[in-house]
Amino acid sequence: MLNIAEDIEVLARFGRALADPVRCRMLLEIRDAPSYPSELADRLGISRTRLSNHLACLRDCGLVVAVPEGRRTRYELADARLGHALDDLRSAVITVAADRTCTEAEEKDCC
């Protein structure tokens, strides 16, 4: 069982991974189905070099794994529960965004 400090570090890594819109899109794509870098780069409309840098971040964060297949490498979520977590987080964030209670959000550029 993890302790609080380890829990916080794990959550912070997850947050860093989600902090970039490209990595969010990548995780959602990989959540739907494992993918090869060239196909993923084409679907996202980014260079393979840029994709490679983002995949390295997601691997370092422990969110995706590289699965060798002959001369190719397929990427998939490190754990199927991450897909469920992404779905739950996405749903919660959309719900919260639709129900803003802060009347000064736009003025203060917060929330």
Side-chain angles (χ1 to χ4, degrees):
M1 175 151 249
L2 295 177
N3 66 37
I4 295 296
E6 291 171 340
D7 290 351
I8 291 169
E9 181 56 34
V10 169
L11 288 171
R13 279 197 323 260
F14 191 65
R16 280 191 297 275
L18 293 177
D20 185 278
V22 172
R23 288 194 295 270
C24 287
R25 289 176 54 208
M26 290 171 65
L27 284 169
L28 293 173
E29 286 284 336
I30 294 171
R31 176 208 62 197
D32 290 338
S35 190
Y36 299 97
S38 60
E39 296 167 0
L40 195 54
D42 290 343
R43 285 198 309 271
L44 296 175
I46 62 174
S47 70
R48 291 184 187 182
T49 301
R50 188 170 175 208
L51 179 94
S52 178
N53 291 333
H54 285 296
L55 282 172
C57 174
L58 293 174
R59 277 193 321 268
D60 291 345
C61 289
L63 300 178
V64 300
V65 292
V67 180
E69 286 187 347
R71 302 177 98 189
R72 299 177 77 189
T73 301
R74 182 185 78 232
Y75 284 84
E76 58 189 47
L77 293 178
D79 188 303
R81 291 175 290 186
L82 288 170
H84 300 293
L86 287 168
D87 290 338
D88 290 345
L89 183 59
R90 185 175 172 197
S91 176
V93 169
I94 289 169
T95 300
V96 169
D99 186 28
R100 280 193 178 165
T101 57
C102 179
T103 57
E104 300 174 342
E106 289 184 29
E107 292 172 17
K108 293 182 177 180
D109 195 28
C110 64
C111 309

